[in-house]
Amino acid sequence: MRLNLRKARGSVARVLVWLISGIVLLVVVAIVGLDMFMRSKYEPTLDAMRQDVTAHLDLFCQEQTKLAADPWFHEPRTEDDAGPLLNRWMEWERPGPPMPADSPLQLPAHLKEKKTLEEWFALNPDVSSLDFAWMRELQGFGRWDLVRNLPFKHEEPFNMMTASVPNFIALLEWSKFRMLQGMKSGQTLEAGRDVRHLAWLSYRTDTLLGAMIANAILGTERKAHALMKEPPAQWRPMSQEQGDRMKAVFWASMAFSNINTPVAVARKARSCGSGISRCHGLVEASNSARYLQPLAEPVYREAYAEIQRELATPCSTSMLTMLWQHGVTIEDRPPSGGAMPDQPEWMRGLPRRYVGKHIAGVLMSVASQNIDLLKKLPQGQATPASAETMP
């Protein structure tokens, strides 16, 4: 009787062991299956992104080198910060302050209508009341920090996607009137110098927006040159070819500094062609890298370590440092929402060790990687102006 009882208990134990083993096996298979399923949703896209930037690295360096040869990048300038002046004079997007009533950038009512340079040229408005002394004052500065010496305080954690930025359009409008005034007074070279410096300060904000505004301001100078029947021979604005190249290179710089980009590729892209887009690419890519850091760093340790090494070589402004010291992460609750929304409660409860990398992967795969403009640049034997050419 006892023998039969032992046999029964042994049989039950074996059944339980097999049952538990089967359940564990099913759980493991389910986890592996889920892992493969999740990876299939983003890994092919991320692989394609890596292959794309790797394949076009030489093209990027070639075009950045051509752009860096433009005389505009080599005009003598100081390293002083225009922020204490411009940050106070400018209008800021909400929640930042409006333009102060005593700002020298205030325009009279008859010049506040938005028009192209060509339209203003045809209308021939009276610009004699405008005082352009503030532009000459800015000649003593060579960069523009957007996170220091502000008339307000940025929210923390800092979210670059929703943070208040200056209304750069004001600089674009003033550049039109400065060129009109210069053409009327026969001082086109002086006007061009002022406008080119406004473009430089926009570029030296270390932001993609600033670089695009710089390109637009340089385009204003180019249009003014085209409107003149006999422009001064020594006046040589940045060419349309270089303007198109500038737009393409700076847009692409963001992709080449993405944490998904192979480290060796990113390192070369930031150093070739004098590295003129290095800080812009780092700033724009670091915004998302910092946001995803709690989830992505275990997978992209080498890329994050490389960014830390890059931080040891300062940029012209403190924007990059601001992002890494005070930037919002997916663990935070951004105060203003925007392009990087607050993390849902259900996501917070997930076991990060197993699914965190998948969340990061999915979010990275839906982000845009725009090197299309770079690919579309015409390839030929044309050589841009060299740095030795007189501006």
Side-chain angles (χ1 to χ4, degrees):
M1 188 72 176
R2 290 180 178 175
L3 183 60
N4 290 337
L5 184 58
R6 287 198 195 96
K7 287 182 178 181
R9 288 176 177 173
S11 298
V12 170
R14 283 194 294 273
V15 170
L16 287 174
V17 168
W18 280 104
L19 181 60
I20 292 171
S21 299
I23 292 173
V24 170
L25 179 61
L26 288 174
V27 170
V28 170
V29 169
I31 291 174
V32 171
L34 178 62
D35 184 74
M36 293 177 63
F37 173 77
M38 291 296 295
R39 289 168 59 183
S40 70
K41 295 298 181 182
Y42 62 87
E43 282 194 345
T45 300
L46 296 181
D47 285 343
M49 288 180 174
R50 284 190 289 270
Q51 293 172 16
D52 200 21
V53 291
T54 302
H56 291 92
L57 173 61
D58 289 342
L59 174 62
F60 177 82
C61 285
Q62 171 187 314
E63 297 301 330
Q64 181 161 247
T65 299
K66 290 180 182 178
L67 179 61
D70 196 276
W72 183 69
F73 290 98
H74 303 275
E75 295 173 14
R77 303 177 179 94
T78 74
E79 282 297 312
D80 294 334
D81 180 21
L85 291 179
L86 276 174
N87 291 342
R88 177 166 48 87
W89 290 343
M90 294 288 287
E91 172 190 5
W92 290 74
E93 292 183 359
R94 293 182 180 179
M99 183 181 292
D102 61 348
S103 170
L105 274 69
Q106 288 284 0
L107 283 169
H110 73 285
L111 296 177
K112 286 187 176 180
E113 190 173 353
K114 299 295 186 293
K115 295 183 182 298
T116 65
L117 178 65
E118 293 86 349
E119 289 172 333
W120 282 121
F121 184 78
L123 288 171
N124 192 25
D126 180 11
V127 296
S128 61
S129 63
L130 296 182
D131 185 356
F132 298 100
W134 63 273
M135 287 191 183
R136 291 189 292 276
E137 187 175 357
L138 291 177
Q139 295 284 342
F141 304 94
R143 60 190 181 90
W144 182 5
D145 200 312
L146 298 182
V147 292
R148 288 183 177 171
N149 299 302
L150 301 178
F152 66 99
K153 182 175 174 56
H154 279 300
E155 293 178 324
E156 290 191 18
F158 179 72
N159 185 348
M160 196 175 77
M161 299 300 294
T162 59
S164 180
V165 295
N167 181 6
F168 286 99
I169 301 302
L171 300 184
L172 187 56
E173 294 302 305
W174 272 92
S175 69
K176 297 174 187 176
F177 299 129
R178 181 66 180 106
M179 292 312 309
L180 287 174
Q181 190 267 351
M183 288 188 284
K184 282 185 175 184
S185 63
Q187 297 178 331
T188 50
L189 292 178
E190 292 83 352
R193 189 178 302 115
D194 286 345
V195 166
R196 289 163 72 86
H197 195 69
L198 279 187
W200 180 262
L201 291 176
S202 297
Y203 156 68
R204 289 295 297 275
T205 60
D206 291 341
T207 64
L208 183 58
L209 175 58
M212 293 303 104
I213 293 295
N215 195 32
I217 293 175
L218 291 171
T220 295
E221 184 198 11
R222 183 165 54 247
K223 290 175 183 177
H225 184 273
L227 286 170
M228 293 192 69
K229 291 182 179 180
E230 295 183 2
Q234 62 269 46
W235 183 21
R236 297 186 181 94
M238 181 182 285
S239 68
Q240 182 65 58
E241 177 189 357
Q242 285 286 63
D244 293 341
R245 182 173 288 116
M246 183 174 178
K247 185 176 181 180
V249 165
F250 279 90
W251 269 110
S253 68
M254 178 167 44
F256 281 94
S257 280
N258 193 293
I259 57 171
N260 182 59
T261 296
V263 167
V265 173
R267 185 182 297 141
K268 182 176 179 180
R270 287 194 288 263
S271 61
C272 64
S274 302
I276 56 174
S277 68
R278 169 184 172 265
C279 290
H280 298 73
L282 278 170
V283 164
E284 299 296 335
S286 291
N287 192 51
S288 60
R290 170 62 177 165
Y291 181 68
L292 294 174
Q293 189 174 13
L295 306 183
E297 190 166 18
V299 180
Y300 295 95
R301 288 194 185 280
E302 189 179 0
Y304 278 95
E306 182 69 14
I307 292 176
Q308 290 300 317
R309 283 191 287 271
E310 289 283 3
L311 286 170
T313 304
C315 291
S316 60
T317 76
S318 52
M319 180 66 80
L320 185 61
T321 303
M322 177 73 161
L323 282 168
W324 285 102
Q325 290 183 353
H326 305 286
V328 66
T329 75
I330 198 169
E331 301 288 358
D332 298 317
R333 296 181 181 273
S336 303
M340 297 186 297
D342 189 12
Q343 186 181 186
E345 285 296 333
W346 65 267
M347 187 183 291
R348 292 175 179 273
L350 293 175
R352 293 304 170 83
R353 180 180 176 184
Y354 299 104
V355 300
K357 64 178 181 180
H358 297 312
I359 297 171
V362 169
L363 293 177
M364 289 170 61
S365 68
V366 299
S368 61
Q369 176 172 293
N370 191 348
I371 65 172
D372 292 343
L373 292 175
L374 181 71
K375 299 175 187 176
K376 293 176 182 177
L377 287 175
Q379 299 300 305
Q381 298 303 314
T383 303
S386 71
E388 288 72 36
T389 304
M390 287 294 292

